[in-house]
Every structure is written in structure tokens, then in C-alpha cells.
Amino acid sequence: MEFDYDLFVIGGGSGGVRAARLTAADGKKVAMAEEFRMGGTCVIRGCVPKKLMVFASHHAHGAHDAKDYGWDITLGDFNWSSFQNKLKAELSRLEAIYTRNAGNSGVEILHQRAEIKDAHTVILADGSEKTAKHILVAVGGTPFVPAGIEGIEHVITSNEVFDLPVLPKRILVVGGGYIACEFACIFNGLGSKVTQFYRSEQILRGFDDEARAHISDEIVKQGIDLQLKTDVAKIEKRDGCLHVTSSKGDTIVVDQVLYATGRKPKTEGLGLENANVTVGRSGEIVVDEYSQTNIPSIFAVGDVTNRVQLTPVAIREAVAFHETVFKGNAMKPDHVNIPSAIFTQPEYGAVGMSEEQAAKEGPIEVYAAAFRPMQNSFIEKDEKVLFKLVVCAKTRKVLGCHIIAPHAGEMIQLAGVAVKMGATKEDFDATVAVHPTMAEEIVLMKEPVRSHGG
Ligand code: NDP
């Protein structure tokens, strides 16, 4: 059977673009449909603009520290519109690079929505139909906002946060995951008064308990009003402000409410049912280890599959898809020991298991040190860092590494190599310390602070 394309990719984000470019570079005929802006969540309304806001908000802390170090500095207000203009220009620049690179690789970019008609056909928004030997769905996810709360229509999500016309003087952040914790810190740094509601006992569920408590303490010290076991009961808009009643019955008045209560796969209206593609309970496309759906010609990578919602993982899945389908080299993306960072202030970088997860698997030793690093003790800044290794008592392998510190995201990238290679505690010990750094602690911890099992 003759097809218009060897591959039709739906979604121009990190995963889709990588798969399209690799396949087109092999000389295959590839088209890609993107209904919004090239670059997807990561570039347009996720990792990139968020990180730039993290940098912007860091300068407030930096200026305070500089003053304590002896600089004559007076910190003025943050100019939100000046930052936003630069941000918009930067995102347009990156979008253009994404578009150019895909085009240069030979990908035909269709700037419109595509939906699936059958196992080999997509329908474009202009009504035209295209056929392909393989279809790759890489449409990503979208913020989830719970229904049924009075006034929920007044809230914003991470989709709108970068386009706010003015910097909110007071903001309520709802949620306790990556996005909520990062934006609570960002707005706090930019000078907003931040309240954060999290519905359960402790933020960052699923991460290491000691690290969660450490982050929670640090963000409270910075001035974020973190209210645990608290949810939104109702929101009323009055006099241009939002009056939020909490589940505890208190009312706070804010300028914006940012919901960061998770993301869901963006599969609604995609026509998956037309091709009988199996969709899971959260709307995710169900795929096997090779990112193949139950329909042999249709594959999916990235957030739409709800496996691990991280850009580098989507890219790995795209590479494995390309190897498997177009190179005859069956390749499974590796989802083990994925390092990640939460860009709170200070940052939290983690790879491998938490103490709690590892303790369930067998006997472990825990090495941990929480302390005020030199640059903070000098200015009597009450911010502590945490270095922690979770070690298998039998094999001595480091099963988990947790770092809370300025630039922990950078550090965990490097520690992640050692953990991925299966380094033992003794390998860490055998590495000479880089002095004076705070990271040297990771090779200097001699005695376990706790043991479990065994
Ligand atoms: P997360 O899944 O990390 O967190 C969602 C939070 O919302 C949890 O605290 C959850 O609580 C809470 N929540 C869920 N439903 C409700 C509800 N109905 N009412 C109140 N609270 C609720 O999602 P995020 O939106 O923060 O981020 C999505 C994904 O994006 C992350 O999983 C991550 O993979 C990725 N990401 C990665 C970043 C990075 O690498 N630095 C940065 C940003 C996002 P509970 O714990 O009780 O379920």
C-alpha cells in the first residue's frame, strides 16, 4: 500500500520533534502537525520559561546576600513587563530554532491540528487527509484543575502564568508537586506574598521523606505561608480580588490563584477511538515498552503516555521509537534511575530511590548531612543544605542520592552518572573531595545515620 508519508507526527514538542528529525534525516518522508507553537510545553510554557523565571527570582536573594557580604545595594521592585518582553522574545527565538531545525532535517511542518481517522490516516483542521505508514502521537499533556469547587473558573494554571498582565502582589498556589513548589518559590523571590495550600501531610509526595521535610522547612523560612492539610473550599471574586475560603474555614484575599494540581494527557478529541487505540483511566495512551499502542502502526511518546513526565525522557522515548521502527534495532527507553531536579530555592536534585522505597526492598544504610554551607554561615543566613546517600547494605551500591542545595540540579546530573553506573559507597569514599565546596560532603560522610532491615 502507498502512503503519503513514512511517518506522521502529531505534536511539535520535545518528543515529536526529535522523532521527526531523526526519521527525516534518514531520508524518510515525514510530516508533523502542530496546532499551537513549535517547541511544545517544555519550550513554550514549561521548563524553559519557568527556569528563566527561577533565574529572575534568584537575583532577589542574591542581592540580599551581596548586601550582607558588604556591597552597598538597594533592591528595587521587579519589573515584570520588562522581563516578560525579554521572555517573549527568547521563546520566539527558540520556537524559530525548533521550526528551522525540523525543516532543515526535511520534516514538512503543518501548522494546524491533526486528528486520527484510522490506523494510517489523519485529518487536518483544513479538512484534508494524509496517510502514513506510521503515526506517532506526541501531543503532551495539559494542566488538570479539579472540578466542583465554587469559583474555580477564576484560577490560572501554568499555561497562563507567564502571560499575567501584572505581577500579583499576593498569590495562592494550590498543590504540593513540582510545579506548585517551584512557582511558590519563584513568586516569593519576585516579591509576591505567597500562600501555598497542600491537601495532605507533606509536599512532594513520592520523594524522600527527609528531603521533603527539609524543602518544606526551607520554603517556610523564606516567607512562604505553606499550609499543609489545607485545600480550597471556595473562591469569590470581589473588588478585583479573589477571596479564598480554605477547607479549614479561613479566608485569604489574593490577586491570583495558581492551580498546580497535576497534568493530564491531552488526548481529548484526538480521534483515538476512530482507530480503536487503547486509552487508560487518566486519558493516557497505553503503550508497550517500545512505545507501540495496541494498533501496530500507531506509537506514542512523552507526556501523553503518562509514564514519566519529563522532557529528557520524552526525547529518549523518541530516539528509541526511531531506532525500533526505522533502524530495525529494537530499543526500549530506559526508565530506571532517572535524575531530576525541582527548582525550588534551594533546589532539590534526586536520583534513584528514596530511603522509604529502598527500605522496602532490603537492608539499607543511610548517610546524610544537613548543614549551613560556608557562604551562608559567613552572613548568618539560616539556609541549610542536605546531602544524602541511600546505600544497599549487601551490595554497597548507592541506591539513591538526594541533594538540596543551590545548584542541586547541576550536581545531581553528575551524581546521576555514578548512581546509573552502579557506584558503591566505597567508590564515593575513594573520590577525593573538592575543597572547599558544599558538594564535597557527598564523598566525606563516614558513618551511617540510620540503618533499616538486615
Ligand atoms: P505533580 O503530580 O507533581 O503534583 C500534583 C500536586 O497536586 C500534588 O501535590 C497533588 O497532591 C496535588 N493534587 C492533585 N489533585 C488535586 C486535587 N484535586 N486537589 C488538590 N490537590 C491536588 O504535578 P505538577 O502539576 O506539579 O507537575 C506535573 C509533572 O510535570 C510532574 O509530575 C513532573 O514530572 C513534571 N514537571 C517537572 C519539572 C522538573 O523536572 N523540574 C517541573 C515541573 C513539572 P497529592 O500528592 O496528594 O496527590
Side-chain angles (χ1 to χ4, degrees):
M1 191 174 163
E2 282 290 303
F3 298 105
D4 298 329
Y5 301 99
D6 297 301
L7 173 65
F8 195 101
V9 179
I10 309 180
S14 304
V17 168
R18 183 58 58 96
R21 284 184 62 189
L22 289 172
T23 309
D26 280 350
K28 304 285 183 207
K29 208 163 173 227
V30 181
M32 181 165 59
E34 169 55 57
E35 64 177 331
F36 184 51
R37 293 177 68 183
M38 285 287 288
T41 302
C42 173
V43 177
I44 302 299
R45 48 193 177 194
C47 321
V48 172
K50 179 277 307 287
K51 191 74 189 280
L52 292 168
M53 280 183 81
V54 170
F55 289 137
S57 77
H58 260 300
H59 289 300
H61 303 291
H64 283 296
D65 293 354
K67 206 170 173 189
D68 290 342
Y69 266 89
W71 288 96
D72 182 11
I73 283 181
T74 313
L75 188 65
D77 285 339
F78 179 66
N79 188 329
W80 174 245
S81 62
S82 148
F83 171 78
Q84 256 186 341
N85 288 339
K86 285 203 176 73
L87 182 66
K88 278 181 190 153
E90 178 63 0
L91 299 188
S92 297
R93 189 181 72 84
L94 295 174
E95 184 186 4
I97 291 174
Y98 257 70
T99 310
R100 197 168 54 238
N101 286 349
N104 288 348
S105 304
V107 179
E108 184 185 339
I109 301 170
L110 305 162
H111 293 280
Q112 52 181 317
R113 184 172 170 79
E115 291 174 11
I116 291 176
K117 185 183 176 200
D118 61 40
H120 291 284
T121 314
V122 298
I123 312 179
L124 296 171
D126 65 8
S128 62
E129 295 188 5
K130 306 284 179 193
T131 60
K133 189 166 182 203
H134 300 284
I135 296 171
L136 179 68
V137 184
V139 295
T142 188
F144 158 78
V145 176
I149 297 168
E150 189 184 327
I152 198 75
E153 66 278 10
H154 301 307
V155 311
I156 58 162
T157 68
S158 58
N159 276 357
E160 293 81 39
V161 76
F162 305 107
D163 297 320
L164 286 176
V166 287
L167 182 71
K169 285 198 167 59
R170 303 155 297 181
I171 186 165
L172 169 66
V173 178
V174 183
Y178 279 80
I179 297 178
C181 294
E182 290 180 344
F183 275 102
C185 291
I186 287 169
F187 279 108
N188 184 55
L190 295 182
S192 306
K193 183 179 173 342
V194 180
T195 308
Q196 184 177 358
F197 284 0
Y198 173 56
R199 64 180 175 181
S200 206
E201 276 81 17
Q202 187 56 280
I203 54 171
L204 298 174
R205 187 166 61 83
F207 285 92
D208 184 90
D209 281 354
E210 189 176 6
R212 295 165 72 193
H214 190 107
I215 288 281
S216 176
D217 287 351
E218 289 303 331
I219 68 177
V220 169
K221 270 191 225 165
Q222 279 182 30
I224 294 169
D225 179 11
L226 173 62
Q227 301 194 20
L228 300 173
K229 294 194 213 162
T230 308
D231 214 337
V232 171
K234 72 171 175 184
I235 303 166
E236 291 165 288
K237 191 166 189 171
R238 261 186 277 135
D239 315 320
C241 303
L242 299 172
H243 297 245
V244 181
T245 308
S246 80
S247 53
K248 290 182 171 158
D250 306 329
T251 301
I252 60 164
V253 182
V254 292
D255 305 300
Q256 294 289 350
V257 177
L258 171 66
Y259 258 72
T261 43
R263 294 176 58 84
K264 58 177 186 189
K266 213 174 158 190
T267 46
E268 237 177 78
L270 202 58
L272 292 162
E273 64 288 354
N274 299 334
N276 293 318
V277 174
T278 304
V279 173
R281 279 176 53 191
S282 313
E284 78 279 14
I285 297 182
V286 178
V287 290
D288 68 10
E289 290 169 306
Y290 299 97
S291 302
Q292 189 172 31
T293 70
N294 59 314
I295 305 303
S297 59
I298 302 180
F299 290 71
V301 294
D303 288 3
V304 75
T305 63
N306 210 11
R307 287 177 281 184
V308 182
Q309 295 181 44
L310 295 173
T311 298
V313 176
I315 291 172
R316 296 264 167 156
E317 289 168 1
V319 171
F321 156 78
H322 167 254
E323 284 290 323
T324 304
V325 176
F326 292 101
K327 293 282 204 192
N329 171 28
M331 185 192 276
K332 300 174 188 173
D334 182 359
H335 290 124
V336 178
N337 281 336
I338 296 169
S340 75
I342 305 170
F343 295 99
T344 42
Q345 299 173 23
E347 294 174 8
Y348 173 22
V351 61
M353 287 190 237
S354 66
E355 179 177 343
E356 297 69 36
Q357 287 163 339
K360 283 188 197 143
E361 310 256 314
I364 56 162
E365 287 179 355
V366 177
Y367 297 79
F371 59 94
R372 234 169 24 156
M374 166 185 210
Q375 66 265 44
N376 290 352
S377 53
F378 182 71
I379 53 173
E380 291 176 22
K381 182 178 173 180
D382 187 20
E383 181 183 284
K384 284 188 177 151
V385 297
L386 172 73
F387 288 86
K388 175 167 179 175
L389 294 176
V390 178
V391 177
C392 173
K394 285 183 184 157
T395 64
R396 306 298 298 156
K397 278 190 181 171
V398 174
L399 303 175
C401 176
H402 303 269
I403 302 176
I404 297 174
H407 308 296
E410 309 290 341
M411 295 187 206
I412 207 68
Q413 179 67 82
L414 305 181
V417 177
V419 173
K420 186 74 186 163
M421 288 175 74
T424 61
K425 175 68 172 67
E426 285 64 36
D427 292 324
F428 276 71
D429 295 344
T431 306
V432 174
V434 178
H435 186 72
T437 64
M438 57 184 117
E440 66 184 305
E441 198 59 30
I442 206 84
V443 297
L444 294 176
M445 294 184 288
K446 295 287 173 247
E447 296 299 325
V449 291
R450 284 181 295 281
S451 299
H452 298 280

